[in-house]
Amino acid sequence: FADVTDIDFRLHQEIVELARHQRLAQQHDYILQQVRFHMVHSGFLPRDYSALVDEHTALIDAVINHDLDLAERLARIHNEAEVKLLSAFVEQKSKSAAQYE
Protein backbone atom coordinates (compact mmCIF):
# COMPACT_ATOMS: atom_id res chain seq x y z
CA PHE A 1 0.00 0.00 0.00
CA ALA A 2 2.73 2.48 0.96
CA ASP A 3 4.65 1.85 -2.28
CA VAL A 4 1.55 2.20 -4.45
CA THR A 5 0.55 5.39 -2.66
CA ASP A 6 4.02 6.90 -3.03
CA ILE A 7 4.16 5.99 -6.73
CA ASP A 8 0.66 7.39 -7.26
CA PHE A 9 1.53 10.70 -5.57
CA ARG A 10 4.86 10.97 -7.41
CA LEU A 11 3.14 10.45 -10.76
CA HIS A 12 0.73 13.27 -10.05
CA GLN A 13 3.59 15.48 -8.88
CA GLU A 14 5.55 14.78 -12.07
CA ILE A 15 2.58 15.72 -14.22
CA VAL A 16 2.13 18.97 -12.26
CA GLU A 17 5.84 19.73 -12.65
CA LEU A 18 5.59 19.22 -16.41
CA ALA A 19 3.07 22.06 -16.48
CA ARG A 20 5.73 24.45 -15.10
CA HIS A 21 3.06 26.45 -13.35
CA GLN A 22 4.22 27.67 -9.95
CA ARG A 23 0.80 28.39 -8.46
CA LEU A 24 -0.52 25.02 -9.62
CA ALA A 25 2.49 23.30 -8.04
CA GLN A 26 1.93 25.13 -4.74
CA GLN A 27 -1.76 24.30 -4.64
CA HIS A 28 -1.06 20.70 -5.59
CA ASP A 29 1.44 20.36 -2.74
CA TYR A 30 -1.13 21.72 -0.30
CA ILE A 31 -3.87 19.39 -1.55
CA LEU A 32 -1.50 16.44 -1.57
CA GLN A 33 -0.69 16.99 2.11
CA GLN A 34 -4.40 17.04 2.95
CA VAL A 35 -5.15 13.91 0.93
CA ARG A 36 -2.21 11.99 2.40
CA PHE A 37 -3.22 13.03 5.92
CA HIS A 38 -6.79 11.78 5.45
CA MET A 39 -5.67 8.57 3.75
CA VAL A 40 -3.24 7.70 6.53
CA HIS A 41 -5.54 8.64 9.42
CA SER A 42 -8.60 6.93 8.00
CA GLY A 43 -6.90 3.75 6.80
CA PHE A 44 -8.14 4.36 3.26
CA LEU A 45 -6.93 1.86 0.65
CA PRO A 46 -7.27 2.09 -3.14
CA ARG A 47 -10.32 0.18 -4.33
CA ASP A 48 -8.57 -1.76 -7.06
CA TYR A 49 -4.84 -1.63 -7.78
CA SER A 50 -5.18 -2.89 -11.35
CA ALA A 51 -7.82 -0.25 -12.14
CA LEU A 52 -5.52 2.36 -10.62
CA VAL A 53 -2.66 1.22 -12.86
CA ASP A 54 -4.95 1.24 -15.92
CA GLU A 55 -6.16 4.78 -15.16
CA HIS A 56 -2.60 6.02 -14.72
CA THR A 57 -1.39 4.25 -17.85
CA ALA A 58 -4.06 5.98 -19.90
CA LEU A 59 -3.13 9.32 -18.35
CA ILE A 60 0.59 8.81 -19.01
CA ASP A 61 -0.14 7.81 -22.62
CA ALA A 62 -2.21 10.96 -23.14
CA VAL A 63 0.57 13.14 -21.72
CA ILE A 64 3.26 11.43 -23.80
CA ASN A 65 1.13 11.78 -26.93
CA HIS A 66 0.52 15.48 -26.16
CA ASP A 67 -3.24 14.87 -26.13
CA LEU A 68 -3.89 17.61 -23.61
CA ASP A 69 -7.67 17.49 -23.75
CA LEU A 70 -7.69 13.75 -23.09
CA ALA A 71 -5.07 14.08 -20.34
CA GLU A 72 -7.11 16.76 -18.61
CA ARG A 73 -10.33 14.76 -18.91
CA LEU A 74 -8.69 11.58 -17.59
CA ALA A 75 -7.06 13.46 -14.70
CA ARG A 76 -10.36 15.08 -13.74
CA ILE A 77 -12.27 11.81 -13.88
CA HIS A 78 -9.61 10.00 -11.86
CA ASN A 79 -9.20 12.71 -9.23
CA GLU A 80 -12.92 13.32 -8.79
CA ALA A 81 -13.58 9.60 -8.37
CA GLU A 82 -10.76 9.21 -5.84
CA VAL A 83 -11.87 12.28 -3.86
CA LYS A 84 -15.43 10.94 -3.71
CA LEU A 85 -14.20 7.54 -2.52
CA LEU A 86 -11.93 9.06 0.12
CA SER A 87 -14.63 11.48 1.31
CA ALA A 88 -17.20 8.70 1.59
CA PHE A 89 -14.71 6.52 3.44
CA VAL A 90 -13.77 9.27 5.91
CA GLU A 91 -17.46 10.10 6.47
CA GLN A 92 -18.26 6.42 7.10
CA LYS A 93 -15.39 6.16 9.58
CA SER A 94 -16.59 9.30 11.37
CA LYS A 95 -20.14 7.95 11.64
CA SER A 96 -18.84 4.63 12.94
CA ALA A 97 -16.67 6.37 15.54
CA ALA A 98 -19.58 8.60 16.63
CA GLN A 99 -21.69 5.51 17.39
CA TYR A 100 -19.22 4.48 20.09
CA GLU A 101 -19.06 7.86 21.83
mmCIF file of all heavy atoms in Angstrom, residues 9 17 37 49 56 60 71 73 75 83 88 101:
data_model
loop_
_atom_site.group_PDB
_atom_site.id
_atom_site.type_symbol
_atom_site.label_atom_id
_atom_site.label_comp_id
_atom_site.label_asym_id
_atom_site.label_seq_id
_atom_site.Cartn_x
_atom_site.Cartn_y
_atom_site.Cartn_z
ATOM 1 N N PHE A 9 1.307 9.281 -5.871
ATOM 2 C CA PHE A 9 1.527 10.696 -5.572
ATOM 3 C C PHE A 9 2.666 11.263 -6.414
ATOM 4 O O PHE A 9 2.579 12.390 -6.896
ATOM 5 C CB PHE A 9 1.811 10.893 -4.088
ATOM 6 C CG PHE A 9 0.584 10.803 -3.215
ATOM 7 C CD1 PHE A 9 -0.592 10.234 -3.650
ATOM 8 C CD2 PHE A 9 0.622 11.289 -1.925
ATOM 9 C CE1 PHE A 9 -1.716 10.148 -2.839
ATOM 10 C CE2 PHE A 9 -0.495 11.215 -1.101
ATOM 11 C CZ PHE A 9 -1.668 10.646 -1.562
ATOM 12 N N GLU A 17 4.562 19.088 -12.331
ATOM 13 C CA GLU A 17 5.844 19.731 -12.646
ATOM 14 C C GLU A 17 6.016 19.964 -14.142
ATOM 15 O O GLU A 17 6.607 20.963 -14.559
ATOM 16 C CB GLU A 17 7.001 18.901 -12.092
ATOM 17 C CG GLU A 17 7.125 19.004 -10.580
ATOM 18 C CD GLU A 17 8.237 18.132 -10.015
ATOM 19 O OE1 GLU A 17 9.141 17.741 -10.774
ATOM 20 O OE2 GLU A 17 8.181 17.852 -8.809
ATOM 21 N N PHE A 37 -2.825 13.021 4.512
ATOM 22 C CA PHE A 37 -3.225 13.030 5.920
ATOM 23 C C PHE A 37 -4.504 12.214 6.120
ATOM 24 O O PHE A 37 -4.574 11.347 6.991
ATOM 25 C CB PHE A 37 -3.443 14.474 6.399
ATOM 26 C CG PHE A 37 -4.033 14.567 7.771
ATOM 27 C CD1 PHE A 37 -3.222 14.465 8.893
ATOM 28 C CD2 PHE A 37 -5.403 14.746 7.944
ATOM 29 C CE1 PHE A 37 -3.757 14.541 10.167
ATOM 30 C CE2 PHE A 37 -5.946 14.815 9.218
ATOM 31 C CZ PHE A 37 -5.131 14.713 10.328
ATOM 32 N N TYR A 49 -6.169 -2.016 -7.294
ATOM 33 C CA TYR A 49 -4.838 -1.627 -7.780
ATOM 34 C C TYR A 49 -4.727 -1.734 -9.295
ATOM 35 O O TYR A 49 -4.118 -0.884 -9.927
ATOM 36 C CB TYR A 49 -3.751 -2.474 -7.114
ATOM 37 C CG TYR A 49 -3.528 -2.139 -5.666
ATOM 38 C CD1 TYR A 49 -3.830 -3.052 -4.669
ATOM 39 C CD2 TYR A 49 -3.019 -0.907 -5.288
ATOM 40 C CE1 TYR A 49 -3.628 -2.737 -3.333
ATOM 41 C CE2 TYR A 49 -2.806 -0.582 -3.962
ATOM 42 C CZ TYR A 49 -3.115 -1.506 -2.977
ATOM 43 O OH TYR A 49 -2.923 -1.191 -1.666
ATOM 44 N N HIS A 56 -3.845 5.267 -14.606
ATOM 45 C CA HIS A 56 -2.605 6.022 -14.717
ATOM 46 C C HIS A 56 -1.902 5.770 -16.049
ATOM 47 O O HIS A 56 -1.304 6.686 -16.616
ATOM 48 C CB HIS A 56 -1.671 5.711 -13.545
ATOM 49 C CG HIS A 56 -2.122 6.346 -12.282
ATOM 50 N ND1 HIS A 56 -2.470 5.616 -11.179
ATOM 51 C CD2 HIS A 56 -2.284 7.647 -11.945
ATOM 52 C CE1 HIS A 56 -2.827 6.441 -10.215
ATOM 53 N NE2 HIS A 56 -2.736 7.684 -10.655
ATOM 54 N N ILE A 60 -0.803 8.679 -18.541
ATOM 55 C CA ILE A 60 0.586 8.808 -19.009
ATOM 56 C C ILE A 60 0.630 8.793 -20.537
ATOM 57 O O ILE A 60 1.317 9.613 -21.153
ATOM 58 C CB ILE A 60 1.468 7.676 -18.429
ATOM 59 C CG1 ILE A 60 1.646 7.880 -16.922
ATOM 60 C CG2 ILE A 60 2.816 7.619 -19.138
ATOM 61 C CD1 ILE A 60 2.216 6.662 -16.217
ATOM 62 N N ALA A 71 -5.788 14.139 -21.627
ATOM 63 C CA ALA A 71 -5.073 14.081 -20.342
ATOM 64 C C ALA A 71 -5.846 14.824 -19.263
ATOM 65 O O ALA A 71 -5.997 14.321 -18.142
ATOM 66 C CB ALA A 71 -3.666 14.661 -20.493
ATOM 67 N N ARG A 73 -9.089 15.482 -19.198
ATOM 68 C CA ARG A 73 -10.329 14.757 -18.913
ATOM 69 C C ARG A 73 -10.071 13.534 -18.040
ATOM 70 O O ARG A 73 -10.771 13.297 -17.048
ATOM 71 C CB ARG A 73 -11.020 14.361 -20.223
ATOM 72 C CG ARG A 73 -12.426 13.819 -20.005
ATOM 73 C CD ARG A 73 -13.225 13.676 -21.287
ATOM 74 N NE ARG A 73 -12.692 12.633 -22.151
ATOM 75 C CZ ARG A 73 -12.091 12.853 -23.327
ATOM 76 N NH1 ARG A 73 -11.941 14.071 -23.779
ATOM 77 N NH2 ARG A 73 -11.645 11.851 -24.043
ATOM 78 N N ALA A 75 -7.496 13.020 -16.033
ATOM 79 C CA ALA A 75 -7.064 13.464 -14.704
ATOM 80 C C ALA A 75 -8.262 13.896 -13.867
ATOM 81 O O ALA A 75 -8.360 13.554 -12.685
ATOM 82 C CB ALA A 75 -6.053 14.602 -14.827
ATOM 83 N N VAL A 83 -11.435 11.371 -4.926
ATOM 84 C CA VAL A 83 -11.871 12.278 -3.858
ATOM 85 C C VAL A 83 -13.222 11.824 -3.307
ATOM 86 O O VAL A 83 -13.435 11.815 -2.093
ATOM 87 C CB VAL A 83 -11.923 13.740 -4.348
ATOM 88 C CG1 VAL A 83 -12.667 14.637 -3.371
ATOM 89 C CG2 VAL A 83 -10.518 14.269 -4.576
ATOM 90 N N ALA A 88 -16.202 9.648 1.099
ATOM 91 C CA ALA A 88 -17.200 8.701 1.594
ATOM 92 C C ALA A 88 -16.604 7.798 2.671
ATOM 93 O O ALA A 88 -17.249 7.512 3.686
ATOM 94 C CB ALA A 88 -17.752 7.862 0.441
ATOM 95 N N GLU A 101 -19.326 6.785 20.863
ATOM 96 C CA GLU A 101 -19.059 7.856 21.834
ATOM 97 C C GLU A 101 -20.174 7.949 22.839
ATOM 98 O O GLU A 101 -21.242 7.588 22.724
ATOM 99 C CB GLU A 101 -18.880 9.197 21.110
ATOM 100 C CG GLU A 101 -17.610 9.213 20.312
ATOM 101 C CD GLU A 101 -17.396 10.556 19.592
ATOM 102 O OE1 GLU A 101 -18.299 11.411 19.595
ATOM 103 O OE2 GLU A 101 -16.320 10.717 19.023
#
